[in-house]
Amino acid sequence: MNGPPYTPGHHLLKDRTAVITAAAGAGIGGATARRFLEEGARIAIGDAHARRLGETEKALAAEFGADRVTALPCDVTDEEQVRALFAHAEQAHGGLDIVVNNAGLGGTADLVDMTDDQWSRVLDVTLNGTFRCTRAALRSLRAAGRGGVVVNNASVVGWRAQTGQAHYAAAKAGVMALTRCAALEAAAFGVRVNAVAPSLAMHPHLVKVTSEELLAELTAREAFGRYAEPWEVANVIVFLASGYSSYMTGETVSVSSQRA
């Protein structure tokens, strides 16, 4: 089944500044960076892959203007790099309004065979990295005193059991719980914190870490008979980052067509 036509921008984020992690390449982060620019935002993007990040920055700057795009390599497992990314964003764009925590790491391993390193690596990138960036975001937004938005990338696996995904599911369930708790705290200074939970959005990294058999099985579960395009998830992130979701906080929005 063919997907829908690409949705044009409507200036929903005009003159807002956003930090987006894991934004290099063709995944949800890259799609979110493009969607934010199409909606009028300025962006500061980070990614652990410096070469891909540089290529992404160059391409987006050529299309949308160098004054609206800046980038700094950032491994979210490194607190110093997280702080540097946020400081870079504030210096480059004069402030901060939105943070999209997209960085995450998956993989497949049955729990009985999983090593401590496999477990810890997924948790450190996916959950601890989201914690580090959310903390940095709230510190910055509280100090600025003008409100703001944080959007975290969770997963339906945080709700639904799937074999071989104990580490990833635990991490994403943690992201959902972190989102709810952070939202209650951040409401005191006018900041909203929400999350998206995609089911199956196709991108090159997913293909590398998932077997063809599992991808076929997951696709068959979707009511539309296809996976989501990364930009379809990015559209929901735009909604949560925009004024159209002004009364929403602590929520996790499923971006899924999975059958009940």
Side-chain angles (χ1 to χ4, degrees), residues 22-80:
I28 292 171
T32 300
R34 174 170 290 276
R35 291 299 306 164
F36 271 43
L37 289 166
E38 291 168 345
E39 294 293 350
R42 299 175 294 269
I43 64 172
I45 55 176
D47 200 286
H49 300 277
R51 179 186 58 79
R52 287 195 332 209
L53 181 65
E55 292 171 351
T56 300
E57 179 188 20
K58 183 178 180 180
L60 292 175
E63 185 173 353
F64 295 98
D67 60 324
R68 294 178 59 199
V69 183
T70 189
L72 189 72
C74 178
D75 178 346
V76 297
T77 68
D78 186 317
E79 173 65 13
E80 289 187 5

Side-chain angles (χ1 to χ4, degrees), residues 124-205:
D124 199 19
V125 175
T126 306
L127 178 56
N128 297 346
T130 301
F131 154 69
R132 293 182 189 99
C133 292
T134 299
R135 179 175 61 187
L138 297 186
R139 287 173 173 172
S140 175
L141 295 170
R142 182 178 63 178
R146 62 188 191 195
V149 182
V150 177
V151 183
N152 296 324
N153 193 356
S155 169
V156 295
V157 177
W159 289 312
R160 305 170 187 171
Q162 186 174 313
T163 59
Q165 296 295 308
H167 47 359
Y168 188 68
K172 290 300 190 180
V175 168
M176 293 176 181
L178 171 66
T179 297
R180 292 191 294 270
C181 293
L184 285 179
E185 297 178 15
F189 42 95
V191 172
R192 299 187 297 110
V193 187
N194 292 294
V196 293
S199 56
L200 182 63
M202 190 58 64
H203 53 85
H205 180 67

